[in-house]
C-alpha cells in the first residue's frame, strides 16, 4: 500500500525537455500537499495512452491526491484529460521563453529552446509545443554558470528543435554562436554536450566550435529518420541523403574524433524494400555508431496517418534488421577502443560515459567524478575498463 503523499510528486513521460520541465513543475508545486503532477508526452499514440493510464492508476492508488496534468498530450487535448477521474487541473499553456535546468544523473540539462516551426508529416509535437522560441543568451549563460557552480562537470544543451536556436532572436544568434559564448565565458565547464540536432540547420559557428575547443563533446545525435530521398520528401524533412553524408564528412574534417548517432523511423508509409535498403546503407555511408530505431506508428491528426501504410509485420522485421546493423556498427566502434586511455564521467550503477558518449563500466567508482581509465575490452554494449587515476 502506498504511503500518503507529503509534497507534490511529478510523474514524467517523454523527452529530455520534459525531464527539465518536470523539475520546474516540482519546484512550482513544492508546497502542495497530496498532489501529483503528471507531465505527459504525445510523440506517439502509445505515449499518450501511457500518460492516461498512469493518471487512472494514480487515482486508484491515491484517491485522496489532487492530480495536475501538464505536457504535450495535455496541451493537445486539455478537455479530454480534464474529464479523467481524479484530474483537478490541466496546464495547457506553452512554456515561457527562458532557460530551464535540471539534473540528469551526474549531468546538468540546460533547455535553451522550445517549440518547432517545421511540419514533418509524422509528427504531432509542434501542435503540442507551439512555435520555435529561444531562451535569451544571457539567461542561458547564467544557468550554465549556476550548474557549474553546483558541481556539474557536463552540461547537455537540449530543446525540441535545438539547431533552430536563435531563429526568433535579434542580433543574429545561432546555436553555434551560443555554444562559443558558453565555452568562452564558462571556462570551468569541463564538457558541453549537444542533444539531437538537425544536420541541415547546423551553422558555421557550430562547426568551427568543434574544431576550436575539445570541451565540446565529439558526439552528435542526428535526426535523420530515413536514408531514402523519396521517403524523406514524404516525411517533409528538409535534408537529403547527400546532405547527411556531406554533413558527417564536414564534421569529421573539423573534429576527426567525432562519432554520430541517429534516429530512424522504419516502415514509414509507402516505404519499399529498396527504400529501406537505402536506410541500411546510410549507416555505413555516414559512419553511424549509436542508432535509435522506431517502427512507424501512425499518429492520429498527422498527414502520415492518411498515407498508404506498410504492414506491421514488415515494419517489425525491418526494425529488427536495422537494429542488427546498429549492433554491428556499435561493436565495430567498441573494438576500436581496446587499449585506449579514456577520460570518463562516472554515473550511478558503476557506469560512465566517454566524451564521445561511449558507455563504459567503472565498477567501484563514485558517481559524478572524472576518472582516467584503460579500456580492456567490451561486451557489445559497453566498454570494460580499469581505472588508472581519479580526477576532480
Amino acid at each position: 500500500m502506498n504511503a500518503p503523499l507529503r509534497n507534490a510528486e511529478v510523474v514524467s513521460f517523454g523527452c529530455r525537455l520534459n525531464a527539465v520541465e518536470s523539475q520546474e513543475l516540482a519546484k512550482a508545486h513544492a508546497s502542495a500537499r497530496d498532489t501529483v503532477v503528471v507531465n505527459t508526452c504525445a510523440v506517439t499514440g502509445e505515449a499518450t495512452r501511457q500518460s492516461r493510464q498512469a493518471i487512472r492508476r494514480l487515482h486508484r492508488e491515491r484517491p485522496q491526491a489532487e492530480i495536475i496534468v501538464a505536457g504535450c498530450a495535455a496541451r493537445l487535448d486539455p478537455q479530454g484529460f480534464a474529464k479523467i477521474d481524479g484530474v483537478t487541473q490541466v496546464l495547457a499553456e506553452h512554456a515561457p521563453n527562458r532557460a530551464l535546468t535540471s539534473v540528469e544523473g551526474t549531468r546538468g540539462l540546460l533547455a535553451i529552446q522550445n517549440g518547432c516551426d517545421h511540419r514533418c508529416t509524422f509528427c504531432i509535437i509542434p501542435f503540442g509545443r507551439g512555435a520555435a522560441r529561444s531562451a535569451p543568451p544571457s539567461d542561458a549563460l547564467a544557468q550554465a554558470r549556476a550548474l557549474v557552480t553546483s558541481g556539474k562537470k557536463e552540461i547537455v544543451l537540449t530543446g525540441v528543435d535545438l539547431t533552430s536556436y536563435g531563429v526568433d532572436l535579434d542580433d543574429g544568434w545561432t546555436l553555434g554562436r551560443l555554444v562559443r559564448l558558453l565555452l568562452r565565458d564558462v571556462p570551468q565547464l569541463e564538457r558541453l554536450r549537444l542533444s539531437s540536432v538537425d544536420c541541415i540547420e547546423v551553422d558555421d559557428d557550430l562547426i568551427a566550435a568543434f574544431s576550436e575547443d575539445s570541451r565540446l563533446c565529439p558526439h552528435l545525435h542526428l535526426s535523420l529518420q530515413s536514408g531514402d530521398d523519396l521517403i524523406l520528401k514524404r516525411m517533409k524533412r528538409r535534408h537529403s541523403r547527400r546532405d547527411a553524408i556531406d554533413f558527417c564528412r564536414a564534421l569529421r574534417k573539423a573534429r576527426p574524433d567525432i562519432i554520430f548517432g541517429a534516429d530512424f523511423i522504419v516502415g514509414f508509409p509507402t516505404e519499399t524494400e529498396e527504400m529501406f535498403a537505402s536506410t541500411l546503407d546510410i549507416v555505413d555511408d555516414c559512419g553511424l555508431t549509436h542508432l535509435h530505431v522506431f517502427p512507424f506508428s501512425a499518429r492520429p491528426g498527422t498527414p502520415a496517418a492518411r498515407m498508404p501504410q506498410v504492414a506491421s509485420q514488415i515494419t517489425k522485421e525491418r526494425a529488427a534488421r536495422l537494429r542488427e546493423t546498429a549492433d554491428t556498427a556499435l561493436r565495430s566502434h567498441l573494438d576500436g577502443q581496446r587499449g585506449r586511455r579514456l577520460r570518463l564521467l562516472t554515473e550511478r550503477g558503476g557506469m560512465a560515459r566517454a566524451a564521445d558518449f561511449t558507455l563504459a563500466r567503472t565498477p567501484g567508482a563514485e558517481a559524478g567524478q572524472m576518472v582516467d581509465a584503460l579500456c580492456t575490452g567490451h561486451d557489445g554494449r559497453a566498454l570494460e575498463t580499469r581505472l588508472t587515476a581519479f580526477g576532480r
Side-chain angles (χ1 to χ4, degrees):
M1 182 175 180
N2 292 306
L5 295 176
R6 296 179 180 176
N7 296 304
E9 174 186 336
V10 177
V11 177
S12 185
F13 293 87
C15 62
R16 282 177 169 173
L17 185 56
N18 255 23
V20 176
E21 292 173 345
S22 290
Q23 290 205 7
E24 289 294 311
L25 288 166
K27 293 176 187 176
H29 296 86
S31 61
R33 296 179 64 84
D34 295 338
T35 299
V36 185
V37 180
V38 180
N39 199 10
T40 63
C41 177
V43 69
T44 64
E46 175 62 16
T48 300
R49 187 194 68 79
Q50 290 177 358
S51 297
R52 294 179 185 275
Q53 185 180 54
I55 294 168
R56 295 187 178 101
R57 184 179 66 251
L58 283 166
H59 182 56
R60 288 195 305 270
E61 295 173 352
R62 299 166 176 172
Q64 83 285 2
E66 294 190 5
I67 299 176
I68 300 173
V69 184
C72 287
R75 286 189 287 269
L76 287 168
D77 185 18
Q79 293 181 344
F81 277 92
K83 293 177 181 177
I84 300 176
D85 288 346
V87 173
T88 57
Q89 185 180 2
V90 176
L91 305 178
E93 302 83 6
H94 290 303
N97 298 358
R98 59 189 177 91
L100 302 176
T101 62
S102 77
V103 176
E104 180 188 67
T106 56
R107 296 179 181 82
L109 295 183
L110 178 52
I112 59 169
Q113 189 277 337
N114 208 328
C116 184
D117 292 338
H118 311 307
R119 294 295 181 267
C120 296
T121 59
F122 54 83
C123 187
I124 199 74
I125 297 305
F127 302 98
R129 287 281 179 180
R133 50 204 188 278
S134 312
S138 59
D139 193 5
L141 180 59
Q143 295 287 2
R145 284 172 170 160
L147 283 169
V148 172
T149 299
S150 74
K152 296 304 160 192
K153 295 176 173 59
E154 179 177 307
I155 292 176
V156 183
L157 298 184
T158 189
V160 173
D161 183 22
L162 186 63
T163 34
S164 72
Y165 178 86
V167 68
D168 56 327
L169 299 178
D170 296 327
D171 301 326
W173 281 97
T174 63
L175 177 61
R177 186 178 169 193
L178 179 67
V179 163
R180 292 173 109 175
L181 171 70
L182 296 177
L183 291 169
R184 185 193 70 202
D185 288 7
V186 192
Q188 303 89 351
L189 176 61
E190 297 194 39
R191 286 184 182 176
L192 181 63
R193 188 181 300 281
L194 305 180
S195 58
S196 183
V197 301
D198 192 335
C199 67
I200 204 66
E201 287 182 326
V202 170
D203 61 287
D204 291 342
D205 271 338
L206 186 57
I207 294 176
F210 275 103
S211 65
E212 294 168 351
D213 199 318
S214 62
R215 293 179 299 151
L216 183 56
C217 292
H219 167 255
L220 281 177
H221 194 80
L222 309 178
S223 180
L224 294 186
Q225 310 305 348
S226 176
D228 182 81
D229 280 334
L230 185 53
I231 290 296
L232 288 169
K233 187 174 182 179
R234 288 171 177 167
M235 288 178 166
K236 212 172 181 180
R237 300 294 295 170
R238 290 164 302 125
H239 69 274
S240 67
R241 176 189 180 86
R242 175 48 57 186
D243 289 332
I245 295 170
D246 289 348
F247 173 79
C248 292
R249 182 177 294 121
L251 260 292
R252 282 200 176 90
K253 183 176 181 180
R255 187 73 175 270
D257 61 338
I258 197 166
I259 69 172
F260 298 97
D263 288 337
F264 287 104
I265 296 173
V266 297
F268 187 82
T270 76
E271 182 187 71
T272 64
E273 181 62 24
E274 183 180 8
M275 292 169 176
F276 174 66
S278 295
T279 293
L280 290 175
D281 290 345
I282 206 171
V283 176
D284 285 335
D285 292 341
C286 284
L288 304 177
T289 298
H290 304 293
L291 270 63
H292 292 168
V293 178
F294 302 94
F296 175 76
S297 175
R299 188 64 176 87
T302 61
R306 301 189 295 272
M307 297 178 184
Q309 304 293 301
V310 175
S312 61
Q313 188 56 42
I314 293 175
T315 295
K316 290 178 183 178
E317 184 267 338
R318 288 176 184 169
R321 287 164 59 192
L322 185 54
R323 289 184 181 121
E324 288 177 4
T325 299
D327 290 344
T328 299
L330 178 58
R331 185 173 290 276
S332 176
H333 168 69
L334 296 176
D335 284 343
Q337 305 304 300
R338 294 177 188 271
R340 288 192 60 196
R341 294 186 180 275
L342 303 169
R343 186 74 165 162
L344 303 172
L345 175 58
T346 57
E347 301 177 345
R348 298 186 183 96
M351 306 302 291
R353 292 281 182 180
D356 66 5
F357 207 61
T358 301
L359 187 64
R361 300 185 189 282
T362 52
E366 183 182 344
Q369 297 186 77
M370 297 296 294
V371 300
D372 294 320
L374 175 68
C375 175
T376 58
H378 68 84
D379 62 3
R381 174 176 173 266
L383 299 174
E384 304 291 347
T385 67
R386 184 176 72 246
L387 299 185
T388 58
F390 288 83
R392 291 184 287 121

